[in-house]
Amino acid sequence: MSGRYSTQSSRSAEASPDLRDLRSETVTPENESSPLLGHSRNHVEDKRRWKSIRVMYLTMFIGSMGFSIVLSSVWPFLEQVDYCVTAAFLGYVVAAYSVGQLLASPLFGWWANRKGSTLAPIILSLVINFIGNMMYGFSGTLAAHDATNGAFMLVSRFIIGFGAGSVSVVRAYVSAATTLEERTAAMANVSAAQSLGFIVGPGLAAAFRPIGRIGGVWSALRLQGNMYTM
């Protein structure tokens, strides 16, 4: 009887894989020895791949810097363009950015997955960001101290936030363009670039303080350039 049990246990041991091998396969599977995007592992491709990843770092840095540089001065600028503005409306202006990003993130992610490329979504997001920031600059030139300026600023901040929805695409690209061994450091660098942008933004806004609240107006476009819009 004991022989039969020993035979069954030996068969089950032969049929089941070794636990150490299974753990090793889970941590470093063969398909993770190369990036998920399918780049071949050679010097030229690795150089091109890391160049794209570093562009993603820069994109994340610029996006977060653009957010923080405006956030530190949005209240005095809002008071300048609309004398009747309230603190509650300031909350709406600040929240508009986050609402726009909330709505855009899944759309950009869906588009990138459907197209199989992150280039078009990221380029479009940068264009949207540019349009939103131009609108923000025009906020003080539509009508003299009218509520229209405040509403225009609210819409511009929503558009800027919508353009920032590509953050999810940036993170997804970096994750897919790196191997399992590279991914932790690369994702940490994405977060570091974002945090650095949040730090640099307010300092850059302070650097524009000598321009003053009035600044100058580009007459051809009626675009006001001051310490809040530069």
Side-chain angles (χ1 to χ4, degrees), residues 59 62-63 104 108 111 118-136 155-167:
T59 302
I62 293 174
F108 279 120
W111 184 19
T118 59
L119 181 61
I122 289 177
I123 290 178
L124 179 62
S125 72
L126 293 175
V127 172
I128 294 174
N129 249 306
F130 175 78
I131 294 173
N133 280 295
M134 288 294 291
M135 290 178 62
Y136 186 83
V155 174
S156 70
R157 290 301 295 164
F158 175 83
I159 293 175
I160 294 170
F162 196 92
S166 62
V167 168

mmCIF file of all heavy atoms in Angstrom, residues 59 62-63 104 108 111 118-136 155-167:
data_model
loop_
_atom_site.group_PDB
_atom_site.id
_atom_site.type_symbol
_atom_site.label_atom_id
_atom_site.label_comp_id
_atom_site.label_asym_id
_atom_site.label_seq_id
_atom_site.Cartn_x
_atom_site.Cartn_y
_atom_site.Cartn_z
ATOM 1 N N THR A 59 7.769 65.427 -22.757
ATOM 2 C CA THR A 59 6.347 65.741 -22.898
ATOM 3 C C THR A 59 5.672 65.825 -21.537
ATOM 4 O O THR A 59 4.883 66.745 -21.269
ATOM 5 C CB THR A 59 5.655 64.667 -23.755
ATOM 6 O OG1 THR A 59 6.288 64.608 -25.040
ATOM 7 C CG2 THR A 59 4.180 64.983 -23.939
ATOM 8 N N ILE A 62 6.886 69.109 -19.732
ATOM 9 C CA ILE A 62 6.286 70.331 -20.251
ATOM 10 C C ILE A 62 4.817 70.436 -19.845
ATOM 11 O O ILE A 62 4.327 71.507 -19.477
ATOM 12 C CB ILE A 62 6.427 70.378 -21.788
ATOM 13 C CG1 ILE A 62 7.902 70.526 -22.171
ATOM 14 C CG2 ILE A 62 5.613 71.517 -22.387
ATOM 15 C CD1 ILE A 62 8.160 70.447 -23.663
ATOM 16 N N GLY A 63 4.105 69.308 -19.889
ATOM 17 C CA GLY A 63 2.695 69.323 -19.513
ATOM 18 C C GLY A 63 2.488 69.716 -18.064
ATOM 19 O O GLY A 63 1.621 70.552 -17.750
ATOM 20 N N ALA A 104 -10.736 63.379 -21.406
ATOM 21 C CA ALA A 104 -9.872 63.112 -22.561
ATOM 22 C C ALA A 104 -9.027 61.851 -22.397
ATOM 23 O O ALA A 104 -8.729 61.185 -23.393
ATOM 24 C CB ALA A 104 -8.960 64.309 -22.809
ATOM 25 N N PHE A 108 -8.194 59.393 -25.540
ATOM 26 C CA PHE A 108 -6.858 59.280 -26.133
ATOM 27 C C PHE A 108 -6.332 57.852 -26.011
ATOM 28 O O PHE A 108 -5.672 57.345 -26.921
ATOM 29 C CB PHE A 108 -5.895 60.255 -25.464
ATOM 30 C CG PHE A 108 -5.996 61.666 -25.975
ATOM 31 C CD1 PHE A 108 -6.314 62.717 -25.131
ATOM 32 C CD2 PHE A 108 -5.766 61.949 -27.310
ATOM 33 C CE1 PHE A 108 -6.408 64.012 -25.598
ATOM 34 C CE2 PHE A 108 -5.849 63.248 -27.795
ATOM 35 C CZ PHE A 108 -6.180 64.278 -26.933
ATOM 36 N N TRP A 111 -8.103 55.730 -28.587
ATOM 37 C CA TRP A 111 -7.602 56.049 -29.929
ATOM 38 C C TRP A 111 -6.224 55.424 -30.163
ATOM 39 O O TRP A 111 -5.960 54.847 -31.218
ATOM 40 C CB TRP A 111 -7.546 57.570 -30.096
ATOM 41 C CG TRP A 111 -7.136 58.011 -31.476
ATOM 42 C CD1 TRP A 111 -7.168 57.277 -32.628
ATOM 43 C CD2 TRP A 111 -6.628 59.300 -31.844
ATOM 44 N NE1 TRP A 111 -6.725 58.025 -33.691
ATOM 45 C CE2 TRP A 111 -6.398 59.264 -33.244
ATOM 46 C CE3 TRP A 111 -6.381 60.465 -31.141
ATOM 47 C CZ2 TRP A 111 -5.902 60.366 -33.921
ATOM 48 C CZ3 TRP A 111 -5.892 61.560 -31.815
ATOM 49 C CH2 TRP A 111 -5.658 61.508 -33.199
ATOM 50 N N THR A 118 0.983 55.807 -30.757
ATOM 51 C CA THR A 118 0.763 56.916 -29.819
ATOM 52 C C THR A 118 1.111 58.267 -30.443
ATOM 53 O O THR A 118 0.847 59.303 -29.830
ATOM 54 C CB THR A 118 1.628 56.719 -28.566
ATOM 55 O OG1 THR A 118 3.011 56.669 -28.951
ATOM 56 C CG2 THR A 118 1.253 55.433 -27.848
ATOM 57 N N LEU A 119 1.672 58.278 -31.641
ATOM 58 C CA LEU A 119 2.152 59.515 -32.239
ATOM 59 C C LEU A 119 1.016 60.497 -32.507
ATOM 60 O O LEU A 119 1.072 61.663 -32.087
ATOM 61 C CB LEU A 119 2.900 59.213 -33.542
ATOM 62 C CG LEU A 119 3.486 60.423 -34.270
ATOM 63 C CD1 LEU A 119 4.510 61.122 -33.382
ATOM 64 C CD2 LEU A 119 4.113 60.006 -35.594
ATOM 65 N N ALA A 120 -0.025 60.048 -33.202
ATOM 66 C CA ALA A 120 -1.131 60.940 -33.559
ATOM 67 C C ALA A 120 -1.854 61.488 -32.330
ATOM 68 O O ALA A 120 -2.121 62.699 -32.257
ATOM 69 C CB ALA A 120 -2.104 60.215 -34.493
ATOM 70 N N PRO A 121 -2.211 60.651 -31.334
ATOM 71 C CA PRO A 121 -2.861 61.205 -30.139
ATOM 72 C C PRO A 121 -2.014 62.238 -29.412
ATOM 73 O O PRO A 121 -2.539 63.261 -28.948
ATOM 74 C CB PRO A 121 -3.101 59.963 -29.256
ATOM 75 C CG PRO A 121 -3.153 58.830 -30.209
ATOM 76 C CD PRO A 121 -2.182 59.182 -31.292
ATOM 77 N N ILE A 122 -0.705 62.012 -29.314
ATOM 78 C CA ILE A 122 0.148 62.953 -28.597
ATOM 79 C C ILE A 122 0.281 64.256 -29.372
ATOM 80 O O ILE A 122 0.240 65.350 -28.791
ATOM 81 C CB ILE A 122 1.525 62.316 -28.326
ATOM 82 C CG1 ILE A 122 1.392 61.213 -27.271
ATOM 83 C CG2 ILE A 122 2.528 63.371 -27.861
ATOM 84 C CD1 ILE A 122 2.666 60.473 -26.985
ATOM 85 N N ILE A 123 0.420 64.181 -30.695
ATOM 86 C CA ILE A 123 0.510 65.403 -31.505
ATOM 87 C C ILE A 123 -0.776 66.208 -31.394
ATOM 88 O O ILE A 123 -0.752 67.437 -31.222
ATOM 89 C CB ILE A 123 0.817 65.053 -32.970
ATOM 90 C CG1 ILE A 123 2.252 64.539 -33.100
ATOM 91 C CG2 ILE A 123 0.624 66.272 -33.867
ATOM 92 C CD1 ILE A 123 2.630 64.115 -34.503
ATOM 93 N N LEU A 124 -1.923 65.517 -31.467
ATOM 94 C CA LEU A 124 -3.198 66.228 -31.345
ATOM 95 C C LEU A 124 -3.332 66.875 -29.972
ATOM 96 O O LEU A 124 -3.823 68.008 -29.854
ATOM 97 C CB LEU A 124 -4.362 65.264 -31.587
ATOM 98 C CG LEU A 124 -5.757 65.890 -31.464
ATOM 99 C CD1 LEU A 124 -5.946 66.992 -32.504
ATOM 100 C CD2 LEU A 124 -6.850 64.836 -31.606
ATOM 101 N N SER A 125 -2.893 66.187 -28.939
ATOM 102 C CA SER A 125 -2.984 66.756 -27.590
ATOM 103 C C SER A 125 -2.134 68.014 -27.467
ATOM 104 O O SER A 125 -2.533 68.983 -26.809
ATOM 105 C CB SER A 125 -2.561 65.715 -26.547
ATOM 106 O OG SER A 125 -1.164 65.495 -26.588
ATOM 107 N N LEU A 126 -0.964 68.029 -28.106
ATOM 108 C CA LEU A 126 -0.123 69.220 -28.076
ATOM 109 C C LEU A 126 -0.771 70.377 -28.827
ATOM 110 O O LEU A 126 -0.686 71.534 -28.406
ATOM 111 C CB LEU A 126 1.245 68.903 -28.682
ATOM 112 C CG LEU A 126 2.115 67.916 -27.887
ATOM 113 C CD1 LEU A 126 3.392 67.595 -28.656
ATOM 114 C CD2 LEU A 126 2.458 68.473 -26.514
ATOM 115 N N VAL A 127 -1.430 70.069 -29.948
ATOM 116 C CA VAL A 127 -2.145 71.110 -30.696
ATOM 117 C C VAL A 127 -3.290 71.686 -29.865
ATOM 118 O O VAL A 127 -3.497 72.908 -29.807
ATOM 119 C CB VAL A 127 -2.675 70.538 -32.027
ATOM 120 C CG1 VAL A 127 -3.589 71.545 -32.730
ATOM 121 C CG2 VAL A 127 -1.514 70.165 -32.948
ATOM 122 N N ILE A 128 -4.040 70.806 -29.207
ATOM 123 C CA ILE A 128 -5.140 71.263 -28.346
ATOM 124 C C ILE A 128 -4.603 72.118 -27.208
ATOM 125 O O ILE A 128 -5.189 73.153 -26.845
ATOM 126 C CB ILE A 128 -5.930 70.048 -27.810
ATOM 127 C CG1 ILE A 128 -6.639 69.339 -28.957
ATOM 128 C CG2 ILE A 128 -6.936 70.481 -26.750
ATOM 129 C CD1 ILE A 128 -7.324 68.050 -28.536
ATOM 130 N N ASN A 129 -3.485 71.697 -26.635
ATOM 131 C CA ASN A 129 -2.860 72.480 -25.568
ATOM 132 C C ASN A 129 -2.469 73.864 -26.055
ATOM 133 O O ASN A 129 -2.662 74.866 -25.347
ATOM 134 C CB ASN A 129 -1.631 71.737 -25.046
ATOM 135 C CG ASN A 129 -1.811 71.223 -23.641
ATOM 136 O OD1 ASN A 129 -2.155 71.986 -22.739
ATOM 137 N ND2 ASN A 129 -1.604 69.944 -23.447
ATOM 138 N N PHE A 130 -1.924 73.947 -27.258
ATOM 139 C CA PHE A 130 -1.520 75.233 -27.823
ATOM 140 C C PHE A 130 -2.733 76.144 -28.010
ATOM 141 O O PHE A 130 -2.698 77.331 -27.655
ATOM 142 C CB PHE A 130 -0.810 75.007 -29.158
ATOM 143 C CG PHE A 130 -0.453 76.273 -29.881
ATOM 144 C CD1 PHE A 130 0.649 77.029 -29.482
ATOM 145 C CD2 PHE A 130 -1.211 76.714 -30.951
ATOM 146 C CE1 PHE A 130 0.978 78.194 -30.148
ATOM 147 C CE2 PHE A 130 -0.893 77.888 -31.616
ATOM 148 C CZ PHE A 130 0.211 78.635 -31.218
ATOM 149 N N ILE A 131 -3.810 75.579 -28.544
ATOM 150 C CA ILE A 131 -5.028 76.371 -28.752
ATOM 151 C C ILE A 131 -5.580 76.872 -27.420
ATOM 152 O O ILE A 131 -5.964 78.044 -27.280
ATOM 153 C CB ILE A 131 -6.088 75.527 -29.497
ATOM 154 C CG1 ILE A 131 -5.609 75.215 -30.913
ATOM 155 C CG2 ILE A 131 -7.433 76.249 -29.530
ATOM 156 C CD1 ILE A 131 -6.508 74.244 -31.660
ATOM 157 N N GLY A 132 -5.616 75.988 -26.424
ATOM 158 C CA GLY A 132 -6.122 76.379 -25.110
ATOM 159 C C GLY A 132 -5.284 77.469 -24.472
ATOM 160 O O GLY A 132 -5.821 78.420 -23.869
ATOM 161 N N ASN A 133 -3.968 77.382 -24.594
ATOM 162 C CA ASN A 133 -3.104 78.405 -24.007
ATOM 163 C C ASN A 133 -3.219 79.736 -24.746
ATOM 164 O O ASN A 133 -3.116 80.800 -24.124
ATOM 165 C CB ASN A 133 -1.650 77.918 -24.017
ATOM 166 C CG ASN A 133 -1.349 76.961 -22.884
ATOM 167 O OD1 ASN A 133 -1.401 77.327 -21.714
ATOM 168 N ND2 ASN A 133 -1.052 75.713 -23.213
ATOM 169 N N MET A 134 -3.425 79.683 -26.064
ATOM 170 C CA MET A 134 -3.659 80.917 -26.802
ATOM 171 C C MET A 134 -4.968 81.568 -26.345
ATOM 172 O O MET A 134 -5.033 82.800 -26.178
ATOM 173 C CB MET A 134 -3.709 80.626 -28.303
ATOM 174 C CG MET A 134 -2.358 80.283 -28.915
ATOM 175 S SD MET A 134 -1.195 81.673 -28.872
ATOM 176 C CE MET A 134 -1.946 82.796 -30.039
ATOM 177 N N MET A 135 -5.988 80.759 -26.136
ATOM 178 C CA MET A 135 -7.255 81.290 -25.622
ATOM 179 C C MET A 135 -7.071 81.903 -24.240
ATOM 180 O O MET A 135 -7.662 82.943 -23.926
ATOM 181 C CB MET A 135 -8.302 80.178 -25.581
ATOM 182 C CG MET A 135 -8.776 79.702 -26.937
ATOM 183 S SD MET A 135 -9.966 78.341 -26.817
ATOM 184 C CE MET A 135 -11.307 79.140 -25.913
ATOM 185 N N TYR A 136 -6.257 81.276 -23.420
ATOM 186 C CA TYR A 136 -5.987 81.816 -22.084
ATOM 187 C C TYR A 136 -5.330 83.190 -22.186
ATOM 188 O O TYR A 136 -5.639 84.098 -21.413
ATOM 189 C CB TYR A 136 -5.088 80.848 -21.327
ATOM 190 C CG TYR A 136 -4.859 81.217 -19.880
ATOM 191 C CD1 TYR A 136 -5.785 80.883 -18.903
ATOM 192 C CD2 TYR A 136 -3.699 81.883 -19.493
ATOM 193 C CE1 TYR A 136 -5.565 81.215 -17.571
ATOM 194 C CE2 TYR A 136 -3.470 82.222 -18.169
ATOM 195 C CZ TYR A 136 -4.408 81.880 -17.213
ATOM 196 O OH TYR A 136 -4.186 82.209 -15.898
ATOM 197 N N VAL A 155 -13.325 78.223 -20.158
ATOM 198 C CA VAL A 155 -13.312 77.342 -21.329
ATOM 199 C C VAL A 155 -11.884 77.013 -21.742
ATOM 200 O O VAL A 155 -11.568 75.863 -22.089
ATOM 201 C CB VAL A 155 -14.079 77.999 -22.503
ATOM 202 C CG1 VAL A 155 -13.956 77.156 -23.766
ATOM 203 C CG2 VAL A 155 -15.548 78.180 -22.133
ATOM 204 N N SER A 156 -10.999 78.009 -21.680
ATOM 205 C CA SER A 156 -9.604 77.774 -22.077
ATOM 206 C C SER A 156 -8.937 76.767 -21.156
ATOM 207 O O SER A 156 -8.184 75.898 -21.612
ATOM 208 C CB SER A 156 -8.829 79.087 -22.084
ATOM 209 O OG SER A 156 -8.625 79.585 -20.778
ATOM 210 N N ARG A 157 -9.214 76.843 -19.867
ATOM 211 C CA ARG A 157 -8.613 75.887 -18.931
ATOM 212 C C ARG A 157 -9.162 74.473 -19.159
ATOM 213 O O ARG A 157 -8.439 73.489 -19.011
ATOM 214 C CB ARG A 157 -8.885 76.314 -17.486
ATOM 215 C CG ARG A 157 -8.152 77.549 -17.051
ATOM 216 C CD ARG A 157 -6.654 77.388 -17.157
ATOM 217 N NE ARG A 157 -6.140 76.375 -16.237
ATOM 218 C CZ ARG A 157 -4.945 75.830 -16.328
ATOM 219 N NH1 ARG A 157 -4.123 76.181 -17.294
ATOM 220 N NH2 ARG A 157 -4.554 74.929 -15.446
ATOM 221 N N PHE A 158 -10.423 74.377 -19.553
ATOM 222 C CA PHE A 158 -10.989 73.065 -19.879
ATOM 223 C C PHE A 158 -10.293 72.478 -21.101
ATOM 224 O O PHE A 158 -9.952 71.290 -21.122
ATOM 225 C CB PHE A 158 -12.493 73.199 -20.137
ATOM 226 C CG PHE A 158 -13.133 71.917 -20.607
ATOM 227 C CD1 PHE A 158 -13.520 70.942 -19.707
ATOM 228 C CD2 PHE A 158 -13.336 71.681 -21.958
ATOM 229 C CE1 PHE A 158 -14.094 69.754 -20.136
ATOM 230 C CE2 PHE A 158 -13.910 70.510 -22.406
ATOM 231 C CZ PHE A 158 -14.298 69.543 -21.483
ATOM 232 N N ILE A 159 -10.062 73.310 -22.118
ATOM 233 C CA ILE A 159 -9.405 72.836 -23.341
ATOM 234 C C ILE A 159 -7.969 72.418 -23.053
ATOM 235 O O ILE A 159 -7.489 71.393 -23.564
ATOM 236 C CB ILE A 159 -9.470 73.928 -24.423
ATOM 237 C CG1 ILE A 159 -10.918 74.145 -24.867
ATOM 238 C CG2 ILE A 159 -8.600 73.559 -25.619
ATOM 239 C CD1 ILE A 159 -11.107 75.286 -25.839
ATOM 240 N N ILE A 160 -7.264 73.195 -22.228
ATOM 241 C CA ILE A 160 -5.894 72.834 -21.866
ATOM 242 C C ILE A 160 -5.884 71.493 -21.140
ATOM 243 O O ILE A 160 -5.022 70.634 -21.386
ATOM 244 C CB ILE A 160 -5.258 73.938 -20.999
ATOM 245 C CG1 ILE A 160 -5.102 75.225 -21.810
ATOM 246 C CG2 ILE A 160 -3.894 73.484 -20.471
ATOM 247 C CD1 ILE A 160 -4.703 76.429 -20.971
ATOM 248 N N GLY A 161 -6.835 71.304 -20.225
ATOM 249 C CA GLY A 161 -6.925 70.031 -19.520
ATOM 250 C C GLY A 161 -7.257 68.881 -20.455
ATOM 251 O O GLY A 161 -6.730 67.772 -20.305
ATOM 252 N N PHE A 162 -8.099 69.147 -21.454
ATOM 253 C CA PHE A 162 -8.434 68.106 -22.433
ATOM 254 C C PHE A 162 -7.180 67.705 -23.211
ATOM 255 O O PHE A 162 -6.954 66.518 -23.481
ATOM 256 C CB PHE A 162 -9.510 68.628 -23.390
ATOM 257 C CG PHE A 162 -10.188 67.546 -24.168
ATOM 258 C CD1 PHE A 162 -11.342 66.950 -23.695
ATOM 259 C CD2 PHE A 162 -9.681 67.120 -25.396
ATOM 260 C CE1 PHE A 162 -11.985 65.948 -24.410
ATOM 261 C CE2 PHE A 162 -10.297 66.123 -26.115
ATOM 262 C CZ PHE A 162 -11.463 65.536 -25.626
ATOM 263 N N GLY A 163 -6.362 68.702 -23.547
ATOM 264 C CA GLY A 163 -5.116 68.400 -24.244
ATOM 265 C C GLY A 163 -4.142 67.617 -23.385
ATOM 266 O O GLY A 163 -3.301 66.875 -23.905
ATOM 267 N N ALA A 164 -4.253 67.767 -22.075
ATOM 268 C CA ALA A 164 -3.369 67.042 -21.166
ATOM 269 C C ALA A 164 -3.806 65.589 -20.960
ATOM 270 O O ALA A 164 -3.154 64.855 -20.217
ATOM 271 C CB ALA A 164 -3.309 67.749 -19.813
ATOM 272 N N GLY A 165 -4.862 65.178 -21.623
ATOM 273 C CA GLY A 165 -5.332 63.804 -21.494
ATOM 274 C C GLY A 165 -4.383 62.770 -22.067
ATOM 275 O O GLY A 165 -4.554 61.570 -21.855
ATOM 276 N N SER A 166 -3.356 63.235 -22.784
ATOM 277 C CA SER A 166 -2.386 62.302 -23.360
ATOM 278 C C SER A 166 -1.421 61.746 -22.324
ATOM 279 O O SER A 166 -0.565 60.922 -22.654
ATOM 280 C CB SER A 166 -1.585 62.991 -24.472
ATOM 281 O OG SER A 166 -0.851 64.085 -23.943
ATOM 282 N N VAL A 167 -1.536 62.199 -21.073
ATOM 283 C CA VAL A 167 -0.660 61.679 -20.015
ATOM 284 C C VAL A 167 -0.784 60.163 -19.913
ATOM 285 O O VAL A 167 0.208 59.449 -19.737
ATOM 286 C CB VAL A 167 -1.001 62.350 -18.670
ATOM 287 C CG1 VAL A 167 -0.324 61.632 -17.505
ATOM 288 C CG2 VAL A 167 -0.573 63.812 -18.691
#
